């Protein structure tokens, strides 16, 4: 479990090197090297996102995962909107190169926070697994008694009585044209019965 946090954090921090190189390199004389470094830098920095989403899925209860991923998407979109504004303001005061160096250096903070997950990832995931095991133990064989999470409380499902599958058939009489059978089936109205057709006798 902890390796997921280490992997996400270390690859983010290692991405600082390619980022600083591309910002400060002289593209006129080092264009090919910049492209190669940028390729491997993109590989490094793309590792953290899917791993963090997997961790987010594992440490949240099923009924709360939608909220957790909605918050993740909201903060991600806010970063895409506010980040360029902050960098543009820094460029006007500090210059382009310095502003981008400061922005990339903040990846170290993000990497450190990811590594910090090693202290709580296993515990939080174990708590979710215990909760799911308790829900599974509270269910009966067909799962009809499994509790549902509704309005902040766990409620029991209402059992539905199984429909009878057998029909009571009794022969009422024998006639020259055939045998008459009476079938009783459950209907919408209580106590009602239905009499079926007279079956012709084989000739």
């Amino acid at each position: 479990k902890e390796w997921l946090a280490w992997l996400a954090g270390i690859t983010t921090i290692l991405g600082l090197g390619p980022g600083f190189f591309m910002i400060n390199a002289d593209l006129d004389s080092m264009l090919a090297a910049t492209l190669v470094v940028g390729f491997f830098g993109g590989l490094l920095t793309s590792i953290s996102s899917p791993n963090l989403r997997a961790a987010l899925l594992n440490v949240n209860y099923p009924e709360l995962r939608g909220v957790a991923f909605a918050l993740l998407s909201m903060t991600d979109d806010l970063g895409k909107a506010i980040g360029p504004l902050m960098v543009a303001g820094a460029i006007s005061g500090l210059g382009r190169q310095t502003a981008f160096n400061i922005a990339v250096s903040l990846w170290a903070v993000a990497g450190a926070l990811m590594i910090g997950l090693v202290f709580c990832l296993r515990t939080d995931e174990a708590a979710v697994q215990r909760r799911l095991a308790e829900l599974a133990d509270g269910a009966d064989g067909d799962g009809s008694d499994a509790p549902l999470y509704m309005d902040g409380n766990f409620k029991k499902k209402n059992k539905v009585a199984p429909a009878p599958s057998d029909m009571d058939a009794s022969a009422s009489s024998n006639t020259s044209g055939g045998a008459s059978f009476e079938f009783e089936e459950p209907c919408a109205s209580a106590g009602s019965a239905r009499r079926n057709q007279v079956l012709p006798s084989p000739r």
Side-chain angles (χ1 to χ4, degrees), residues 16-36:
L16 288 169
F20 287 136
F21 181 85
M22 289 186 293
I23 293 171
N24 299 287
D26 183 7
L27 296 181
D28 293 333
S29 59
M30 305 178 64
L31 179 59
T34 303
L35 292 176
V36 173

Side-chain angles (χ1 to χ4, degrees), residues 34-53:
T34 303
L35 292 176
V36 173
V37 172
F39 174 78
F40 287 104
L43 291 180
L44 284 173
T45 56
S46 64
I47 293 175
S48 60
S49 180
N51 283 281
L52 290 178
R53 291 179 183 274

Side-chain angles (χ1 to χ4, degrees), residues 16-184:
L16 288 169
F20 287 136
F21 181 85
M22 289 186 293
I23 293 171
N24 299 287
D26 183 7
L27 296 181
D28 293 333
S29 59
M30 305 178 64
L31 179 59
T34 303
L35 292 176
V36 173
V37 172
F39 174 78
F40 287 104
L43 291 180
L44 284 173
T45 56
S46 64
I47 293 175
S48 60
S49 180
N51 283 281
L52 290 178
R53 291 179 183 274
L56 190 65
L57 184 69
N58 291 337
V59 300
N60 283 281
Y61 298 134
E63 65 273 10
L64 299 177
R65 287 171 181 167
V67 177
F69 277 93
L71 290 174
L72 175 64
S73 298
M74 183 182 69
T75 54
D76 191 21
D77 292 339
L78 284 175
K80 294 175 183 177
I82 298 175
L85 293 176
M86 296 178 64
V87 173
I91 289 175
S92 62
L94 301 173
R96 176 184 175 278
Q97 190 170 356
T98 303
F100 275 102
N101 281 325
I102 294 174
V104 171
S105 65
L106 294 178
W107 291 0
V109 179
L113 292 174
M114 295 176 194
I115 293 175
L117 293 175
V118 300
F119 300 105
C120 58
L121 185 60
R122 182 178 293 272
T123 303
D124 292 344
E125 186 172 343
V128 173
Q129 294 301 319
R130 284 196 303 270
R131 176 76 162 278
L132 296 178
E134 291 172 1
L135 297 183
D137 291 340
D140 56 16
D142 60 356
S144 61
D145 232 4
L148 291 174
Y149 187 85
M150 299 172 59
D151 301 327
N153 297 308
F154 282 95
K155 301 179 181 179
K156 292 287 185 179
K157 291 181 181 178
N158 294 326
K159 281 188 175 181
V160 178
S165 58
D166 297 327
M167 294 185 298
D168 297 330
S170 60
S172 60
S173 63
N174 290 328
T175 61
S176 59
S180 175
F181 290 90
E182 180 179 316
F183 296 91
E184 294 185 359

